[in-house]
Amino acid sequence: MYIAICIMLCGLVIGRMTRHIGLFRHFEKLVLPSILLLLFLLGAGIGGNSKIMEALPKLGMSAFLITLAGMAGSILCTWLITPFILKKTGKRQMNK
């Protein structure tokens, strides 16, 4: 996990240093397809692992509840923070 975070931070630093050159500007179109491919490969790897597939019924409800709690927390934080961000940037909320 630390390796992934370090790689991401290195990419962030390199992107920040080269933003005026526009070196990586064309890579933006590749980000979403790359993430989708990695998610597909992760799913294929999990699906091919018999130990994980056997434990899935036991892990399924826990994973679902953790996911649900994470989503609820993210939505709540976004809902609480958005007015402060809009006030700071001077943007108004759109009509609903």
Side-chain angles (χ1 to χ4, degrees):
M1 186 64 165
Y2 293 118
I3 294 172
I5 292 171
C6 288
I7 289 171
M8 186 178 72
L9 288 175
C10 288
L12 183 105
V13 169
I14 291 170
R16 181 86 173 158
M17 291 183 335
T18 60
R19 73 172 185 251
H20 62 282
I21 301 171
L23 182 64
F24 297 106
R25 217 170 265 161
H26 301 291
F27 291 157
E28 291 178 11
K29 296 175 184 172
L30 297 175
V31 171
L32 181 62
S34 299
I35 291 172
L36 293 176
L37 176 64
L38 288 172
L39 287 171
F40 173 77
L41 293 173
L42 178 65
I46 291 172
N49 189 331
S50 60
K51 289 183 182 179
I52 293 176
M53 292 308 291
E54 290 170 5
L56 197 56
K58 297 175 192 170
L59 298 173
M61 184 54 86
S62 297
F64 176 73
L65 291 175
I66 290 170
T67 302
L68 195 62
M71 288 173 55
S74 295
I75 291 169
L76 178 66
C77 287
T78 302
W79 181 70
L80 290 172
I81 291 174
T82 299
F84 297 107
I85 293 172
L86 292 176
K87 188 185 300 182
K88 186 176 182 180
T89 60
K91 295 182 181 177
R92 295 184 179 180
Q93 285 183 321
M94 297 174 68
N95 294 334
K96 293 180 181 179

